Amino acid sequence: MKQTKNIFFNLLLLLILAGLTHLLAAEESDSLNKLFLSSQSDTVKINLLNNISKKYFDNNPDTAIIIATSAVNLAEKNNFKTGLAQALKNVGIGHYLQGRYVEAINNWNKALVVYTTLNDQKGIANMHSNMGAIYFNQGDDATALELYLKALKIAEAIHDTVRIVTSLNNIGSVYLNKSATYDKALDCFFRALPLSKANGDPYNIGLVTVNLGETFYKKGDDSTALVYLNESLKYYENTESAPYSLNYIGRVNVRRKAYLEAIATHQSAFEISKKLDLKLDLTQSLVGLAQAYLSSGNNNLAILNFKAALEAGAPLNAVTEMKDAYQGLTNAYANIKDYTNAYQFQNLLLAIKDTIYNINTDKKLGTLQFTFDLEKKESEINLLTKDKEIQNKEIERQKLVRNGFIGGFAIVLFFAGVVFKQRNRISKEKKRSDELLLNILPEDTAEELKTTGKASTKSFDSVTVLFTDFKNFTQASELLSAEDLVAEINSCYSAFDKIVTKYNIEKIKTIGDAYMCAGGLPVSNTSHPVDVVNAGIEMQAFIQLNKAERMAKGLPYFELRLGIHTGPVVAGVVGTKKFAYDIWGDTVNTASRMESSGEVGKVNISGFTYELIKEHFQCDYRGKIAAKNKGEIDMYFVSTNSIKS
């Protein structure tokens, strides 16, 4: 009987192999069949099937799964655990390559059990590392890190330097996801570097050094970043990994204002990517080229390359690169005063930012779904493996318990539901109350008010105050209905709110068609003069774009005067019924005079503010200008083309 089963199984495997011969080279196919037919040992056949399955990982993962599953069945039949572990691992890899992560995890967990039975430490480490990659891809950094650390611990215990390097790189990649853990990433990469060099594996040396370069770039240490990025090129030169290193070198050179070097480097990355048909790297190279041209002042070449990047990136759904291209096109068109195109790409930028947000949300939801599916699958497996008699007894016991407590449980459930509903309602009301409070007060002030019942008045030695005013508000309001007028004001002020939030500026209030905000409070900082000037430039750019769009439609439009001054203020909350956070002092009055003494489309600043921002912006001296109740004040116009990113 056993012999009959073996003959049948061998025929089945031959049929599988025969069906796959068209996928292999003729010589390889013949040699495969001969080897299989001549083999008398099932263990040899299992190993053969495992080796064959690996050949299909790259081009046909489903076929790899079919062959590896045959190896699993034969290995279980012969109790050949080494072959079984490898076969389960291969089945998992096939599912992983297809994006079927639950199935991959389940097979790797089974393989882990077998490797543990065999005390195969290398296999155990391998499974931890593989499963870590799935959780990393799912955005679950905590679980990924836990598994990678387990793999590292085992690799160090058995002195497997190749796997130590792999684990350290994986762990470093997790830490590189957050700026707060960059130093931990560096520690991992520095530990991996000498080991990878001792092994003499060019790929791993290149991987470690490019990771080091990227980390130092993100930390802002450009000189050190270049050292490691250039070293990675020694091992990656003219390979499919080279563009990644080259594009980071280009970014560093842009930040160092070495524009010619940056352009040459991104161009090299582009040529390698094109030669090797690396579509994502090609898109990234074009974005890098465009950013280098934009930073160097060549707006036309920047526009050309940003558009080429969009064309290359759209089929890949490369949303990060497309976002950078839309941002670049918005700035480039604004630089050449083509506000219609600038506004168009600004809208596309806002849309794709929403897309990226949704992708990140979907990824988080996908992680939850993945965990749920995995737990469900494990529960199903556990249920199937339990002894039937135990299950029946448990069912009988549960019936008795259910009949005895169903009434009491229903009552408890009812009251629990009431309590939960009430708590949930209170929680929602509290959240809404907090959100409303934060809409009218700074966060620190709101917290102080909630904690102590009052908010203390504070003095600030240096705050930058910005005022805006619509010049032709009265004329425009006469041509608009009340609803349209309010809608247009709301549109402008909503855009201003986004801009001040971007630059960490506190909105103080609106007074009719005037808008007031201040930087450097309620938490003091040293960047507020530059932040507020940047915000002022963006406000004027928005109004210019809005004007162009409304003119094209034949609609009334607003024009904007804007003034800025820096100095001391007193800030606090006034009122008992409707709280209002406000600021007082001569600085506020002077900032208001900067606005009224300004011109449409300009950012008018005082001489005092100029001294604080002159290293960051191009400014034109206006002379001493008479300001109401202030006498003559030195004033400057900031160039709207000198906005800093």
Side-chain angles (χ1 to χ4, degrees):
M1 189 69 174
K2 183 178 179 181
Q3 185 179 7
T4 305
K5 285 185 178 179
N6 282 340
I7 292 171
F8 175 77
F9 195 79
N10 289 341
L11 287 172
L12 179 61
L13 292 178
L14 280 172
L15 286 172
I16 292 171
L17 293 175
L20 299 172
T21 54
H22 67 286
L23 297 172
L24 298 168
E27 291 183 7
E28 187 178 5
S29 176
D30 289 341
S31 126
L32 205 63
N33 285 324
K34 287 178 182 177
L35 182 59
F36 193 85
L37 286 169
S38 63
S39 174
Q40 298 298 314
S41 167
D42 283 340
T43 58
V44 172
K45 292 175 182 175
I46 294 164
N47 291 333
L48 179 62
L49 288 168
N50 279 330
N51 289 331
I52 296 169
S53 70
K54 293 178 184 178
K55 294 180 181 291
Y56 294 95
F57 285 156
D58 291 334
N59 58 9
N60 201 330
D62 279 331
T63 300
I65 292 171
I66 292 170
I67 300 172
T69 301
S70 299
V72 169
N73 295 333
L74 189 56
E76 286 177 336
K77 182 169 173 283
N78 287 275
N79 197 28
F80 179 35
K81 291 185 177 180
T82 302
L84 176 60
Q86 181 64 54
L88 289 166
K89 173 184 169 181
N90 288 358
V91 173
I93 292 173
H95 285 299
Y96 174 80
L97 294 171
Q98 301 273 52
R100 296 192 288 261
Y101 291 154
V102 171
E103 290 82 357
I105 285 279
N106 281 327
N107 279 280
W108 286 340
N109 267 321
K110 292 176 185 177
L112 178 62
V113 171
V114 181
Y115 280 128
T116 303
T117 302
L118 294 169
N119 196 28
D120 184 339
Q121 296 300 307
K122 186 174 181 179
I124 295 169
N126 187 206
M127 291 303 94
H128 286 318
S129 183
N130 285 3
M131 288 189 282
I134 287 182
Y135 285 103
F136 183 78
N137 292 344
Q138 290 284 305
D140 187 348
D141 286 352
T143 305
L145 184 60
E146 180 184 355
L147 289 163
Y148 287 151
L149 287 169
K150 286 181 179 179
L152 176 62
K153 183 177 181 181
I154 295 169
E156 288 177 334
I158 62 176
H159 307 292
D160 183 347
T161 55
V162 173
R163 194 156 301 284
I164 291 172
V165 171
T166 302
S167 298
L168 287 170
N169 261 317
N170 290 338
I171 294 166
S173 296
V174 175
Y175 287 136
L176 196 52
N177 276 345
K178 295 180 181 178
S179 58
T181 53
Y182 286 163
D183 287 337
K184 290 184 178 181
L186 283 179
D187 180 63
C188 291
F189 298 142
F190 276 132
R191 287 171 63 191
L193 185 58
L195 293 173
S196 62
K197 288 185 174 180
N199 291 336
D201 181 354
Y203 175 79
N204 270 331
I205 300 173
L207 181 61
V208 175
T209 49
V210 78
N211 282 341
L212 281 166
E214 180 180 349
T215 310
F216 278 111
Y217 171 81
K218 289 182 176 179
K219 284 173 65 69
D221 186 348
D222 292 343
S223 298
T224 308
L226 276 179
V227 170
Y228 287 107
L229 291 169
N230 282 317
E231 184 177 354
S232 71
L233 277 182
K234 297 176 185 176
Y235 303 95
Y236 278 168
E237 192 171 7
N238 293 322
T239 69
E240 62 181 17
S241 301
Y244 192 82
S245 300
L246 287 167
N247 281 322
Y248 258 102
I249 292 171
R251 293 182 194 179
V252 172
N253 283 327
V254 167
R255 202 155 67 182
R256 299 174 73 206
K257 295 183 170 54
Y259 300 125
L260 290 178
E261 293 177 46
I263 290 166
T265 305
H266 284 304
Q267 187 65 42
S268 296
F270 172 80
E271 289 167 0
I272 295 171
S273 302
K274 187 175 182 180
K275 179 182 177 182
L276 299 178
D277 195 28
L278 307 171
K279 292 182 173 60
L280 180 59
D281 291 286
L282 185 142
T283 305
Q284 292 169 346
S285 302
L286 287 167
V287 170
L289 267 173
Q291 289 172 336
Y293 283 124
L294 182 64
S295 298
S296 67
N298 195 330
N299 293 299
N300 291 329
L301 280 178
I303 290 169
L304 185 69
N305 282 278
F306 277 131
K307 287 186 174 180
L310 287 175
E311 186 177 348
L316 308 175
N317 196 29
V319 289
T320 300
E321 289 70 24
M322 292 171 69
K323 174 185 71 68
D324 292 340
Y326 288 140
Q327 178 70 72
L329 285 165
T330 301
N331 293 340
Y333 277 118
N335 288 346
I336 62 175
K337 297 182 171 54
D338 183 350
Y339 298 116
T340 301
N341 271 316
Y343 186 70
Q344 173 192 345
F345 283 108
Q346 185 182 52
N347 283 336
L348 291 170
L349 174 64
L350 294 173
I352 204 163
K353 282 182 176 178
D354 288 340
T355 300
I356 292 172
Y357 172 79
N358 290 334
I359 288 172
N360 290 335
T361 302
D362 289 345
K363 191 172 182 180
K364 291 176 183 176
L365 292 175
T367 301
L368 296 174
Q369 184 64 47
F370 168 71
T371 304
F372 173 79
D373 290 343
L374 187 60
E375 290 174 351
K376 181 180 177 182
K377 192 78 172 179
E378 288 174 347
S379 297
E380 291 172 354
I381 292 170
N382 291 336
L383 189 62
L384 290 172
T385 55
K386 283 183 179 178
D387 184 86
K388 197 68 179 177
E389 185 179 345
I390 294 175
Q391 289 183 40
N392 291 336
K393 288 181 179 179
E394 180 64 18
I395 290 169
E396 290 298 322
R397 189 186 69 81
Q398 288 177 0
K399 283 181 180 179
L400 291 173
V401 172
R402 182 187 62 190
N403 292 336
F405 291 97
I406 191 167
F409 179 73
I411 294 171
V412 171
L413 187 62
F414 171 75
F415 282 106
V418 170
V419 171
F420 177 78
K421 186 176 180 180
Q422 184 72 2
R423 186 176 65 180
N424 193 39
R425 186 181 66 80
I426 293 170
S427 176
K428 286 181 179 178
E429 290 297 325
K430 182 179 182 299
K431 183 181 178 183
R432 187 170 66 173
S433 174
D434 289 345
E435 288 173 349
L436 289 171
L437 192 60
L438 289 174
N439 271 337
I440 57 176
L441 297 176
E443 184 176 356
D444 289 1
T445 305
E447 284 300 320
E448 183 183 1
L449 193 63
K450 287 192 295 181
T451 304
T452 66
K454 61 181 181 178
S456 57
T457 301
K458 295 181 181 178
S459 297
F460 295 87
D461 294 332
S462 180
V463 167
T464 301
V465 182
L466 179 152
F467 271 94
T468 74
D469 186 66
F470 294 126
K471 179 190 175 187
N472 55 339
F473 179 79
T474 302
Q475 297 91 319
S477 63
E478 291 173 352
L479 299 172
L480 293 168
S481 68
E483 293 81 4
D484 290 340
L485 178 63
V486 172
E488 181 61 13
I489 294 172
N490 180 63
S491 174
C492 293
Y493 284 172
S494 295
F496 290 178
D497 288 348
K498 289 179 181 178
I499 292 169
V500 300
T501 300
K502 171 183 175 182
Y503 288 105
N504 197 30
I505 298 166
E506 189 68 33
K507 177 181 177 180
I508 304 300
K509 59 186 173 183
T510 58
I511 312 160
D513 63 328
Y515 186 99
M516 177 185 175
C517 61
L521 54 74
V523 178
S524 299
N525 62 62
T526 57
S527 65
H528 60 85
V530 173
D531 294 336
V532 173
V533 172
N534 268 326
I537 294 172
E538 287 201 22
M539 287 177 179
Q540 287 288 18
F542 170 81
I543 292 298
Q544 290 295 329
L545 291 172
N546 189 57
K547 174 184 174 181
E549 185 183 56
R550 292 182 70 82
M551 283 180 67
K553 297 177 180 178
L555 298 173
Y557 54 85
F558 293 149
E559 293 184 300
L560 192 71
R561 282 196 307 263
L562 188 151
I564 296 172
H565 177 61
T566 305
V569 301
V570 174
V573 175
V574 294
T576 56
K577 289 188 176 180
K578 293 184 178 180
F579 293 119
Y581 183 79
D582 209 344
I583 57 176
W584 302 272
D586 188 61
T587 298
V588 178
N589 298 329
T590 303
S592 178
R593 298 295 177 263
M594 290 301 104
E595 174 272 308
S596 59
S597 303
E599 294 180 7
V600 167
K602 301 285 189 179
V603 174
N604 190 40
I605 64 173
S606 66
F608 192 83
T609 301
Y610 168 75
E611 292 299 326
L612 298 173
I613 60 93
K614 62 185 180 182
E615 300 299 325
H616 301 274
F617 301 92
Q618 295 175 349
C619 299
D620 298 321
Y621 181 50
R622 301 181 62 197
K624 290 185 178 295
I625 309 294
K628 185 179 179 181
N629 299 326
K630 292 292 178 183
E632 292 187 337
I633 302 176
D634 287 317
M635 297 188 195
Y636 294 79
F637 283 142
V638 181
S639 170
T640 53
N641 288 328
S642 60
I643 190 168
K644 304 296 181 184
S645 59

